[in-house]
């Protein structure tokens, strides 16, 4: 688990008990003010999801998890006096997270949002609609700015003016949370948007947040692939298109968490 800037601000997390293991990706908030003065909305969302995973009953189903974690986020909204009406009108202010969660009892990985898993050489993900399109728009503009001399890789790593042009599109997708795609955000999670991956005993499964653009069977391989990307395409506009790059002072373009399990 590595924060893009620091461990203290990392919005990704790992939860592990005898029955469940999860990687959790707290979404970077687009709100002007976080709910808590102590941490970002993404880190708070991750912390709450971790709390729920660590208290899940052994025989909990994907539906049980989604219902319980939704209720826990709602409790936090009530604690801060945030109304449902406010969150419908301003979904960018929601406590939002994605999760890949392994249930030992059921032999399944549940993908809520855009975390990912690898089993038997097959990568399973649950991407957000429009994200590829939005990342491609940022990449095109960044290339145009560099080609025209209006910007350099270094200047865009200080202030990504290409990203500035897509932030409103990212915020726009928030209105479709738990409609077009699933996330944990305190609103009812449509189970048809949750991906369930069977992972039988005798196999290995890898789960990771999307801070790993290339999910490989070992942490060493996954880290090496990420390091190559950062060295050759730090803005994430060529080899791998993302909605943000490696900003100056950061070690990567996003926080990351990785777990590999041998199932016995």
């Amino acid at each position: 688990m590595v924060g893009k800037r620091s461990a203290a601000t990392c919005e990704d997390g790992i939860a592990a008990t005898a029955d469940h293991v999860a990687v959790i990706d707290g979404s970077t908030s687009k709100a002007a003010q976080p709910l808590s003065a102590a941490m970002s909305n993404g880190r708070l969302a991750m912390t709450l999801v971790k709390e729920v995973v660590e208290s899940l009953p052994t025989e909990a189903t994907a539906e049980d998890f989604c219902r319980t974690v939704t209720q826990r986020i709602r409790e936090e909204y009530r604690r801060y006096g945030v109304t449902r009406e406010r969150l419908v009108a301003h979904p960018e202010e929601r406590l939002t997270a994605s999760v890949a969660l392994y249930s030992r009892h059921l032999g399944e990985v549940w993908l809520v949002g855009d975390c990912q898993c690898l089993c038997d050489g097959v990568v399973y993900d649950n991407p957000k609609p429009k994200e590829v399109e939005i990342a491609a728009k940022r990449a095109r503009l960044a290339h145009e700015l560099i080609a025209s001399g209006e910007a350099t890789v270094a200047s865009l790593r200080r202030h990504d003016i290409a990203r500035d042009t897509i932030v409103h599109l990212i915020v726009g997708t928030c209105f479709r949370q738990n409609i077009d795609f699933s996330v944990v955000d305190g609103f009812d999670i449509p189970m048809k948007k949750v991906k369930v991956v069977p992972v039988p005993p005798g196999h290995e499964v890898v789960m990771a947040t999307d801070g790993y653009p290339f999910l490989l069977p070992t942490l060493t391989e996954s880290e090496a692939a990420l390091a190559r990307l950062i060295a050759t395409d730090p803005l994430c506009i060529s080899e791998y298109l993302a909605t943000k790059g490696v900003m100056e002072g950061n070690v990567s373009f996003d926080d990351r968490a990785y777990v590999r399990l041998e199932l016995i």
Side-chain angles (χ1 to χ4, degrees):
M1 191 166 59
V2 182
K4 63 180 179 288
R5 177 168 289 272
S6 71
T9 60
C10 184
E11 295 174 324
D12 286 5
I14 294 172
T17 70
D19 297 306
H20 299 95
V21 179
V23 294
I24 308 158
D25 183 353
S27 298
T28 302
S29 175
K30 313 302 182 295
Q33 289 289 334
L35 282 188
S36 169
M39 65 184 78
S40 69
N41 280 2
R43 188 167 173 83
L44 178 56
M46 177 272 291
T47 301
L48 297 174
V49 175
K50 187 172 186 288
E51 171 189 308
V52 170
V53 173
E54 291 175 343
S55 62
L56 270 184
T58 298
E59 299 182 2
T61 63
E63 291 88 345
D64 293 333
F65 166 70
C66 288
R67 184 173 56 252
T68 303
V69 79
T70 296
Q71 183 59 36
R72 181 65 187 90
I73 299 293
R74 288 176 180 171
E75 290 171 2
E76 203 70 6
Y77 292 147
R78 287 194 289 271
R79 177 185 171 209
Y80 284 98
V82 181
T83 65
R84 179 180 176 85
E85 291 73 22
R86 174 71 186 183
L87 296 168
V88 168
H90 296 277
E92 73 278 7
E93 296 181 2
R94 298 179 193 175
L95 300 173
T96 302
S98 296
V99 189
L101 198 166
Y102 168 69
S103 163
R104 182 175 63 87
H105 176 72
L106 294 175
E108 296 174 342
V109 171
W110 311 327
L111 299 178
V112 184
D114 60 356
C115 288
Q116 52 189 333
C117 74
L118 172 68
C119 186
D120 293 335
V122 179
V123 175
Y124 299 88
D125 61 3
N126 201 13
K128 297 174 185 173
K130 301 287 187 182
E131 184 136 330
V132 171
E133 177 185 325
I134 294 170
K137 181 172 183 178
R138 170 182 169 267
R140 285 194 300 272
L141 181 56
H143 281 297
E144 290 168 4
L145 291 167
I146 292 169
S148 69
E150 295 176 66
T152 64
V153 171
S155 72
L156 291 173
R157 289 189 63 193
R158 288 191 295 272
H159 178 190
D160 191 343
I161 54 178
R163 177 176 167 82
D164 291 347
T165 68
I166 65 163
V167 169
H168 73 287
L169 298 175
I170 298 172
V171 171
T173 65
C174 296
F175 286 93
R176 306 302 298 174
Q177 288 180 189
N178 285 324
I179 299 172
D180 293 341
F181 59 95
S182 63
V183 289
V184 174
D185 68 352
F187 285 68
D188 290 341
I189 300 169
M191 294 310 300
K192 64 182 179 181
K193 299 295 183 182
V194 174
K195 186 169 288 188
V196 176
V197 181
V199 283
H203 295 251
E204 285 190 348
V205 63
V206 171
M207 299 183 296
T209 60
D210 61 0
Y212 284 98
F214 311 109
L215 190 56
L216 297 168
T218 69
L219 179 60
T220 298
E221 292 172 294
S222 299
E223 284 284 335
L226 175 62
R228 284 193 298 272
L229 174 69
I230 292 171
T232 60
D233 184 22
L235 291 177
C236 299
I237 59 172
S238 297
E239 181 183 352
Y240 175 79
L241 306 188
T243 57
K244 54 191 172 186
V246 184
M247 299 306 293
E248 188 175 81
N250 289 2
V251 298
S252 188
F253 69 97
D254 204 356
D255 301 326
R256 61 192 190 270
Y258 181 107
V259 168
R260 180 162 63 102
L261 299 171
E262 181 182 356
L263 308 180
I264 56 175

